[in-house]
Amino acid sequence: QTQGMKILAPEPLAAAIIGKGGSVIAEMRSSCSARLSLTESGDYFPNTDCRILTAQTNDEDGMEAVLRQVLTKAVETVQSGTSVEAMGTEADMRLKVLVPRAAAGGIIGKGGAKIKEMRESSGARITVNDPAGTGPSADQLVSFTGTEEALEMVLNEVNKQVQALNTEPWFSTWLSTSSAMSASSYSNYYGGGGREGGGYYGGGGGYERGGGYERGGGYERG
């Protein structure tokens, strides 16, 4: 049965996954027996600066290998120090994935029990956004922040919840549908306000916007 995941890749991570002349993504496709596609540069998931990496494999081992390699590339990108704003620091890395709306309930758990358990066991901060649409296959953004080990734990658990649904009739539709928008149509769609103006992270100030080390004149802004 086809396994599938969607991972959000800021441009620095997308560049690392593609590699020089496409060498890295070609090697990933080969070594993991995976079908990997990435939205075009500038075609981002709404309210983010992230392209969508869609991965499909024929078995669990292949998908686990893909996720491991993506996480490795994320760590390398963060270590390079060129993506602090997009991906955080080594001790506080940020990763985002898209899950089908039907998987979110399993990630959150009854009364929030599952997400609480994941937060406590991994030490990661985990946020599940509202779905971008209706129906079981609507994309729902899950963000997690923490160390490499914390992200690996959460990524594996989220992957399990997603693959538990891979026999559903809508699963292949979810995998083949991209909700990315180009920067120009995005600007028109949102009336020019862009992702800062409300959206998922804007109004509430959450940890991504609320004057933390990224915004508040810390070492990066000087």
Side-chain angles (χ1 to χ4, degrees), residues 129-151:
N129 287 11
D130 291 334
T134 56
S137 62
D139 279 325
Q140 197 150 354
L141 177 63
V142 181
S143 313
F144 27 105
T145 308
T147 62
E148 179 184 357
E149 293 74 20
L151 297 193

Side-chain angles (χ1 to χ4, degrees), residues 7-210:
I7 299 146
L8 291 190
E11 290 291 359
L13 177 57
I17 289 169
I18 294 167
K20 192 172 183 179
S23 58
V24 175
I25 199 166
E27 168 58 27
M28 283 175 70
R29 285 179 177 131
S30 171
S31 65
C32 305
S33 301
R35 297 179 295 288
L36 301 171
S37 63
L38 201 58
T39 56
E40 295 296 323
S41 181
D43 285 357
Y44 298 147
F45 184 70
N47 297 317
T48 73
D49 285 327
C50 299
R51 293 160 70 174
I52 303 172
L53 172 68
T54 303
Q56 298 180 60
T57 65
N58 293 326
D59 55 40
E60 288 178 28
D61 291 346
M63 182 54 66
E64 286 171 8
V66 168
L67 296 178
R68 213 163 29 244
Q69 290 195 33
V70 168
L71 188 56
T72 298
K73 286 295 164 196
V75 172
E76 290 172 6
T77 305
V78 167
Q79 285 173 339
S80 73
T82 57
S83 60
V84 172
E85 189 167 336
M87 298 177 65
T89 62
E90 228 175 312
D92 211 31
M93 286 174 51
R94 204 161 42 246
L95 203 60
K96 297 173 182 173
V97 299
L98 297 177
V99 304
R101 184 176 169 218
I107 292 165
I108 296 166
K110 193 172 181 181
K114 182 69 179 176
I115 198 168
K116 183 171 184 280
E117 178 196 314
M118 277 199 288
R119 284 171 176 147
E120 289 173 354
S121 61
S122 69
R125 299 196 298 285
I126 308 166
T127 308
V128 178
N129 287 11
D130 291 334
T134 56
S137 62
D139 279 325
Q140 197 150 354
L141 177 63
V142 181
S143 313
F144 27 105
T145 308
T147 62
E148 179 184 357
E149 293 74 20
L151 297 193
E152 185 172 15
M153 283 178 72
V154 176
L155 193 56
N156 287 340
E157 188 53 48
V158 169
N159 179 44
K160 272 184 209 159
Q161 296 295 335
V162 172
Q163 305 321 322
L165 300 169
N166 67 12
T167 57
E168 296 290 336
W170 49 260
F171 192 80
S172 60
T173 308
W174 172 69
L175 272 179
S176 60
T177 305
S178 169
S179 46
M181 298 177 76
S182 67
S184 56
S185 62
Y186 177 84
S187 175
N188 294 337
Y189 184 77
Y190 285 96
R195 65 194 164 272
E196 301 286 351
Y200 289 144
Y201 295 119
Y207 61 81
E208 300 233 5
R209 297 283 177 216

